[in-house]
Amino acid sequence: MPSRTYVPTLAAALTAAVTLFGGPAHAQADAPADQPLAARVVTYDAGASAEFRAAVDRGAAIWNESVDNVELRPAAAGQRANIRVLADNGWPRALTTSLGNGTVYIGRQAVTQGYNTVRIAAHELGHILGLPDRKPGPCSSLMSGSSAGVPCTNPYPNAAEKAEVEDNFGAALAHPAATAPREVMIVD
């Protein structure tokens, strides 16, 4: 029986000796704090976005110009996309399943009323990137959506919106398990 009481003590002593005399105390997989993490690539399929294809591509390009921690890329042929973009006759909306994943609907109803297609695309992609609606809001806020009015054609996120997306994806890159799937439907 006395040997049982010494086994945990011996194991602890060996662990301490290995750690003190050259053994790794922890895995070296973590990136140094001063080294930036690579951008997370989020793919999109705009094949069903009909007449809005160019607006969707421009909206994605605007986000790519605006942030570093995520990059929106068209999905390659046969590749499953993180984001599906569809055209329909309703109001624009986004259904997110988790950060960087979901479905965007570019609704013709808003376009018929005179809203800018590139602003709509960038706004709805903003939801997939983790941003909520900010209504009412000024034209300078992309996420103010339709509350900025038909004359507003600004498709660019403001500084706060950019920072929020950077934080969302910075956290996702640092802690991938922290971005658990969720279902959220955002109707603008």
Side-chain angles (χ1 to χ4, degrees):
M1 291 287 186
S3 65
R4 286 187 187 174
T5 57
Y6 293 113
V7 170
T9 305
L10 179 61
L14 286 174
T15 301
V18 169
T19 301
L20 290 173
F21 298 107
H26 60 80
Q28 299 290 330
D30 295 336
D34 61 343
Q35 192 174 38
L37 295 168
R40 176 176 171 200
V41 174
V42 173
T43 58
Y44 67 93
D45 177 359
S49 63
E51 69 269 28
F52 306 117
R53 177 67 184 254
V56 171
D57 289 338
R58 183 63 192 131
I62 287 168
W63 276 109
N64 289 341
E65 295 162 11
S66 300
V67 296
D68 295 321
N69 285 346
V70 63
E71 180 182 349
L72 297 171
R73 284 189 202 159
Q79 179 185 21
R80 181 183 162 110
N82 299 98
I83 307 167
R84 289 183 49 222
V85 184
L86 310 169
D88 73 359
N89 293 325
W91 193 257
R93 60 204 179 277
L95 173 63
T96 62
T97 53
S98 63
L99 183 63
N101 297 284
T103 304
V104 165
Y105 296 88
I106 307 292
R108 292 182 181 99
Q109 184 178 353
V111 176
T112 300
Q113 291 179 20
Y115 289 96
N116 180 275
T117 57
V118 177
R119 180 173 167 85
I120 292 169
H123 173 93
E124 297 306 334
L125 289 170
H127 288 311
I128 302 295
L129 301 178
L131 298 178
D133 281 316
R134 299 231 163 70
K135 295 181 180 183
C139 185
S140 60
S141 169
L142 175 62
M143 299 315 292
S144 68
S146 63
S147 71
V150 172
C152 178
T153 61
N154 171 37
Y156 295 93
N158 64 28
E161 292 162 339
K162 292 176 194 179
E164 189 171 346
V165 169
E166 294 285 55
D167 287 348
N168 290 346
F169 283 88
L173 290 167
H175 308 286
T179 57
R182 65 186 196 282
E183 290 197 23
V184 177
M185 178 139 187
I186 300 174
V187 179
D188 296 311

